Amino acid sequence: MSTSVSSISNPKLSLNILTEGDIRQIHSATLEVIESVGVKFPSPKALDILKAHGAKVDHETMVARISGDVIETCLAKAPPIFTLAAIDPDLDLPLDGNHSYLGTDGCGVEIIDAFSGECRRSNKQDVYDVARVADDLDAIAFHWVPISAQDCPPESRGLHELEAIWTVSKKHAQTETILDERQMRAAIEMAALLAGGKGELRKRPLLSIMQCTISPLAHDTGSLEAGLIAAEAGLPVGFMTMASCASTGPTTLAGNLVVGNAEVISALALMQMAYPGCPVYYAAAQTAMDLRTGAYTGGGPEDFLFGAATNLLADFYNVPLSMGAFATGAKEPNWQAAVDNSFSSFMAVSTLSDMLLGAGLLHGSRIFSYEMLLMDAEIWSILHAMFKGIDVNEETLALDAIREVGPGGTFLTHSHTVEHLGQLWLPTLMDRRTYSAWQVKRDGAREWALSRARQILSQEPLESLDPALKIEFEKIIETVEQG
Amino acid sequence: MSEDLLAEITESVIGGEPETVIALTRQALEMGLEPMEIINQGLVPGMDIAGEKFSRGEFFLPHLLIAAKGMQNAMELLEPELVARKQTFKSVGTVVIGTVQGDIHEIGKSLVGTMLSANGFKVHDLGVDVRIENFVSKIEETRADIVGLSALLTTTMIGQREVIEALVEAGLRDRVKVLVGGAPVSQSWAEEIGADGYAEDATGAIQVAQKLMGAKS
Ligand code: B1M
C-alpha cells in the first residue's frame, strides 16, 4: 500500500501558449456566447436557480442566457484552493496551484486480462484489482473508476465501483459515473461513513465528482442534478467539456476553447449560485474529430495544445483544473501510445494543470491495460524529473569537483558524484541493456510492465477498509438496488 | 438547358452548397422538370461523386455530410411533388435509428444515420435517450425495414436488449431487422441479445444494413 504520492511541484519549466490578451479575448467571447446564444440546462431545478439569479430562461427550449456580470460574480465565489482529502491524510492532495497530480483514467469498457492476455468485458473484481495496482504506484495520486463493474446492476454500479476502490486503497477517489440523484445521495452516505460524518466529509472530501457537459453548449439533466447534490454536501464538483473540433466545436482551436469554456463556467456558476463558496473545478478533454472517420482521437497536436491552454483558463477563473491527458487512441501500448501520452502529459504539466487523467486506458479511453498503466507511470516519473529543471548554484556548478578532477580525470569516483547521484533519473521500463542481453529473450517495456503488475496482483490483497464499514456500504448499495 | 441545370445541381451537391442545391431544385421544378429527373440526374449523381471522393480520401467527413444535407433538403422539397404525382422515390430501405434510453451520446448515431441516408436509405432519426415505446411506435408507423440502436454506455447497452424484447412483444420482430452499435457493443453482445447485425463504425453499418436488406427481400 503506497504511503506517498509523487506530485510535480515548483516546476522549473513553463510554456508560453496564450498571452494574457488571448485569454481575455477568449473570456469575453465566452461571456458573449453565454449571454446571447445561451446554454441549455435541461433541469427545471437548475433553471429555477438560474432564473432567481437573473438569467433569461426559456422554459420550452431550456436555454438560459446569463449575463457576463452574473457569471463573473458567481465564479469569484469559488474557493481558489482546496484539498482532495485521502483516507490516509499523508496522501492528501492540496489543489493549491502548485502541484500536478496524476490519476487513473476512467472508465473503460474492456480490460486486457493480466494473466490470460484476453481482451474482455470488465467486472467488479477488475476494478478492485486495478485499484490495488494503482494504489501501489506513487505516480498515481488519486483513483478514477478505471473500468466498469459490468457484473453489477446499472442502477448501483457506480457505488460498487467506489466500494471496490475504497476496500483496497486509501487514496482520494474521483468518479465520473454517478449520474443520478439516488446514487449520488448513496455515494455521499458511503463517503460520510468513511470520513466520520457529513460534517467531517465536508471538511475532508474523500470523494470528488466529475460530470460531463454536452458540447456544444448544453448540459445533461442527470449530471446537473447529481452535481448539485454533491455540491450541497461539500464534495468538489467539476464539469468536463469534450468539445471536439469540427463536430461538437468549431474547427478552429480558439473557437473550440470558447464553446467548451462557456459550458464549463456556466455549470460552475450554477453551483456557486446554489451553494456559494462550494469547491468546484474546471475539467476538460477537448480534442479534434478524425477527419476521415469522425472518431474521437484522444491524441494529436490539437489535444496537446488544449492540454496546455486549458489550465490558463482555469487559472484565470482561479479554480483548479482536471485535464484529460494520456488518452491515446492506440490499440496497444505501442509507439503511438507513447507519443500521445508523453506529449499530452508534458503539455498539461507545462502549465501546471492540477489533476491529470488518466493513466492506463487504450483505444480512446475504452480498453484498460496494466502494461499501459505501468508505462504511463514511467512517463510520469520522467516528467517529474524534467520539471525539476536545472538548478544553478554553487553546489551544482561543481567547480570544486571540476578543479579536483581536472583534464582527463574521472568524475566516477568523486565524492560530489556520489552525493548527487539521487538527482539522476533511473528507468524501470526503458531498455538500456546491451544488444546481446536483449537478444536472449527479446523482451522489453511491455513484458516488464506486465510482470510488475502480475507481481502486485499475486500478492495477498491488503484490504484497508474496516469490515464493519464494508457491511454498512453493502447495506446502502442494497437499499439503492431495492429501489 | 435543363441538362445544364441538372449538372449545376450535381455540382452544388458535390460542392457543399446546400442553399444552392435548394434554389436550383426549386428553379428546376419551376422550369417544369420532373422531380424524378431532378433526383436521378441531378442529386443522386452528386451524392455518388461525393461518396467516391470520400472513399478516395479527397473528401473528408464534413464534405460528405454537407453534400448529404444538400440532397436531403432538396428531397424534402421534392417529396410533396412526388406525392402529388403518386410517385415514390424508391429508397434502399427504411431505417428508424436512435440512441437508447438513458444515453445521450449522439455523434456516432447521427453519423451512422446520415451515412445511411447518403447511401439511399430513408432514415428516421429519433435522437438520443429514446424510450422503448417510441422505437416501437415509429417502426410501426413507418413500416421500417431496419431499426438501428446505438448505445455508448455499459449501463445503457442493456436497453438494446429491451427494445428487441419489446419488438417481440409487439409482434414486430419478424418484420424488422435489428442493427446495433456503439463503443461497448460487440459482435458477441449482438448475438447474445439476438440482434441481426452489428457494426463497429459507420462504413460497416452501411454494409451490414445493405446485407440485411438483401436478407429481407
Ligand atoms: C445502429 O447501428 C449502429 C452501428 C454502428 C454504430 C452505432 C449504431 N452507434 C455507433 N456506432 C459506431 O459507428 C459510429 C461512427 O463510426 C461510432 O460511434 P462513436 O460514438 O463510437 O464514434 C463517434 C463518431 C465519436 N465518438 C464519440 O462521440 C464518443 C467519444 C467519447 C469520448 C465520449 C463523448 C464524446 C461524450 N461523452 Co461519454 N464518451 C465516451 C466516448 C469514448 C470513446 N472513445 O468512444 C464514453 C462512451 N462516455 C462515457 C461516459 C462514462 C460518459 N459519457 C458522457 C457524456 C459524454 C459527452 C456528452 C461529453 C460526449 C458526447 C457528446 C455527444 N453529443 O454525443 C456521460 C454520459 C451521460 C449519458 N446519460 O449518456 C458519461 C457518463 C460521463 C459523465 N460523467 O457525464 C464512457 C462510457 C464508459 C462505460 N463504461 O460505459 C466512455 C467510453 C468514455 C470514458 N472512458 O469515460 C461507432 O461506435
Side-chain angles (χ1 to χ4, degrees):
Chain A
M1 194 152 270
S2 278
T3 50
S4 64
V5 294
S6 151
S7 69
I8 293 174
S9 46
N10 296 311
K12 279 279 185 62
L13 277 62
S14 63
L15 192 81
N16 284 327
I17 177 161
L18 293 169
T19 64
E20 233 182 278
D22 293 338
I23 307 251
R24 290 211 166 271
Q25 278 195 65
I26 293 172
H27 172 63
S28 320
T30 304
L31 293 189
E32 194 181 319
V33 167
I34 300 177
E35 195 167 332
S36 61
V37 183
V39 178
K40 185 170 176 182
F41 287 82
S43 148
K45 197 167 151 187
L47 287 175
D48 285 347
I49 299 170
L50 291 163
K51 200 168 177 183
H53 285 80
K56 286 191 196 122
V57 166
D58 180 333
H59 282 280
E60 204 159 298
T61 59
M62 303 196 124
V63 168
R65 293 181 176 78
I66 315 162
S67 82
D69 291 347
V70 171
I71 293 281
E72 284 180 337
T73 315
C74 290
L75 289 177
K77 292 181 186 154
I81 292 175
F82 54 88
T83 293
L84 299 181
I87 300 173
D88 173 355
D90 285 343
L91 304 173
D92 275 2
L93 311 175
L95 303 180
D96 55 8
N98 194 30
H99 290 86
S100 280
Y101 304 104
L102 173 63
T104 45
D105 203 353
C107 50
V109 298
E110 287 180 306
I111 182 167
I112 302 173
D113 190 283
F115 294 95
S116 71
E118 180 202 357
C119 183
R120 55 165 174 78
R121 239 184 265 166
S122 54
N123 56 42
K124 186 173 180 181
Q125 180 67 36
D126 294 320
V127 180
Y128 175 94
D129 285 339
V130 175
R132 285 171 61 204
V133 176
D135 181 80
D136 205 73
L137 302 171
D138 287 352
I140 304 296
F142 64 99
H143 298 276
W144 251 31
V145 173
I147 35 176
S148 293
Q150 293 173 71
D151 50 345
C152 301
E155 67 275 13
S156 61
R157 193 170 290 169
L159 304 173
H160 281 282
E161 293 163 346
L162 278 176
E163 189 215 19
I165 291 172
W166 280 332
T167 302
V168 289
S169 182
K170 294 185 172 181
K171 290 179 180 173
H172 180 82
Q174 190 169 93
T175 168
E176 68 151 337
T177 46
I178 297 196
L179 306 175
D180 59 89
E181 284 201 36
R182 180 128 56 91
Q183 274 196 88
M184 186 55 76
R185 290 195 194 283
I188 292 169
E189 223 181 300
M190 286 164 70
L193 280 173
L194 208 51
K198 291 218 164 124
E200 274 309 301
L201 180 65
R202 188 178 288 280
K203 278 189 231 145
R204 294 188 42 75
L206 303 173
L207 174 68
S208 53
I209 305 297
M210 215 285 303
Q211 301 292 355
C212 278
T213 66
I214 307 177
S215 305
L217 303 176
H219 294 292
D220 171 52
T221 314
S223 299
L224 283 174
E225 295 181 355
L228 282 167
I229 288 165
E232 183 182 20
L235 299 185
V237 184
F239 281 83
M240 175 181 270
T241 175
M242 287 192 171
S244 180
C245 291
S247 66
T248 53
T251 306
T252 46
L253 271 63
N256 191 297
L257 284 172
V258 169
V259 166
N261 198 36
E263 296 155 11
V264 175
I265 68 173
S266 64
L268 300 189
L270 170 72
M271 298 296 129
Q272 294 305 321
M273 288 173 186
Y275 306 102
C278 66
V280 291
Y281 59 92
Y282 200 116
Q286 312 94 331
T287 190
M289 174 191 86
D290 177 70
L291 290 179
R292 296 199 168 86
T293 59
Y296 179 86
T297 51
E302 299 84 9
D303 262 53
F304 310 149
L305 287 167
F306 287 136
T310 309
N311 197 46
L312 301 187
L313 289 172
D315 279 352
F316 179 78
Y317 299 116
N318 234 334
V319 290
L321 170 71
S322 177
M323 188 69 214
F326 290 99
T328 185
K331 310 298 178 278
E332 30 177 42
N334 55 15
W335 172 84
Q336 182 185 340
V339 171
D340 277 342
N341 293 1
S342 302
F343 275 122
S344 65
S345 57
F346 178 87
M347 293 292 275
V349 174
S350 73
T351 53
L352 211 57
S353 304
D354 305 79
M355 297 160 268
L356 262 72
L357 310 163
L361 289 186
L362 291 166
H363 190 28
S365 303
R366 274 174 283 182
I367 300 176
F368 179 84
S369 151
Y370 285 101
E371 293 164 43
M372 197 69 243
L373 176 64
L374 272 286
M375 289 179 187
D376 287 339
E378 179 109 329
I379 292 175
W380 186 257
S381 96
I382 298 174
L383 294 172
H384 194 267
M386 281 169 68
F387 279 88
K388 282 187 191 151
I390 300 174
D391 268 338
V392 182
N393 57 44
E394 211 174 311
E395 179 63 17
T396 60
L397 286 168
L399 269 187
D400 286 344
I402 297 169
R403 238 180 240 119
E404 283 161 30
V405 170
T410 176
F411 287 92
L412 252 178
T413 50
H414 196 279
S415 60
H416 184 275
T417 304
V418 181
E419 267 162 45
H420 294 280
L421 274 185
Q423 289 179 13
L424 297 185
W425 179 74
L426 258 186
T428 62
L429 301 176
M430 295 280 173
D431 192 349
R432 293 174 164 182
R433 298 169 300 174
T434 61
Y435 198 79
S436 52
W438 170 75
Q439 271 183 316
V440 178
K441 286 204 245 164
R442 294 178 181 257
D443 56 355
R446 291 191 59 172
E447 291 76 12
W448 301 333
L450 188 59
S451 94
R452 175 84 188 102
R454 283 180 175 171
Q455 188 198 342
I456 300 168
L457 292 173
S458 306
Q459 290 160 7
E460 187 62 33
L462 255 179
E463 298 200 347
S464 50
L465 182 68
D466 176 354
L469 276 187
K470 204 174 163 73
I471 294 171
E472 292 299 316
F473 284 1
E474 276 157 15
K475 278 192 211 150
I476 295 173
I477 296 175
E478 230 176 81
T479 316
V480 170
E481 284 166 3
Q482 282 158 2
Chain B
M1 175 68 189
S2 67
E3 264 150 44
D4 287 352
L5 187 55
L6 288 170
E8 266 183 73
I9 291 179
T10 305
E11 275 312 309
S12 63
V13 171
I14 305 167
E17 306 153 55
E19 307 300 318
T20 317
V21 181
I22 287 271
L24 292 174
T25 304
R26 192 167 285 130
Q27 200 182 323
L29 282 174
E30 278 159 12
M31 275 176 59
L33 272 127
E34 277 302 306
M36 254 339 164
E37 215 180 338
I38 303 175
I39 295 171
N40 289 327
Q41 291 167 45
L43 300 168
V44 172
M47 216 39 239
D48 286 347
I49 294 171
E52 280 160 26
K53 281 180 178 281
F54 180 69
S55 323
R56 282 201 303 267
E58 281 168 46
F59 262 21
F60 295 124
L61 202 56
H63 299 127
L64 188 66
L65 297 186
I66 295 174
K69 191 172 164 192
M71 162 119 187
Q72 242 163 11
N73 289 354
M75 286 304 290
E76 270 162 37
L77 193 70
L78 295 174
E79 207 81 51
E81 300 293 329
L82 289 172
V83 174
R85 289 168 177 75
K86 297 203 166 47
Q87 294 174 340
T88 41
F89 174 64
K90 197 157 167 27
S91 67
V92 181
T94 301
V95 181
V96 167
I97 194 169
T99 303
V100 297
Q101 189 159 14
D103 199 323
I104 50 90
H105 290 87
E106 175 145 44
I107 306 166
K109 176 271 303 164
S110 300
L111 191 59
V112 171
T114 316
M115 296 285 269
L116 283 171
S117 67
N119 281 273
F121 284 87
K122 179 148 188 63
V123 176
H124 301 272
D125 188 337
L126 300 179
V128 297
D129 192 10
V130 179
R131 303 203 347 215
I132 299 173
E133 52 270 34
N134 291 0
F135 277 114
V136 175
S137 59
K138 197 72 185 177
I139 292 164
E140 261 183 321
E141 176 199 322
T142 59
R143 307 187 151 269
D145 302 295
I146 296 175
V147 58
L149 307 170
S150 184
L152 269 278
L153 297 172
T154 48
T155 45
T156 57
M157 57 198 277
I158 192 82
Q160 295 177 328
R161 169 181 279 156
E162 288 165 358
V163 174
I164 294 178
E165 285 165 0
L167 289 174
V168 174
E169 213 160 291
L172 291 170
R173 185 64 188 92
D174 301 337
R175 280 187 11 212
V176 64
K177 297 281 180 194
V178 180
L179 171 61
V180 293
V185 179
S186 60
Q187 182 62 43
S188 66
W189 170 252
E191 283 162 21
E192 190 181 323
I193 62 171
D196 302 296
Y198 157 76
E200 200 183 338
D201 64 4
T203 318
I206 294 158
Q207 288 162 359
V208 176
Q210 284 164 343
K211 215 162 84 200
L212 291 178
M213 288 312 297
K216 272 197 85 143
S217 54

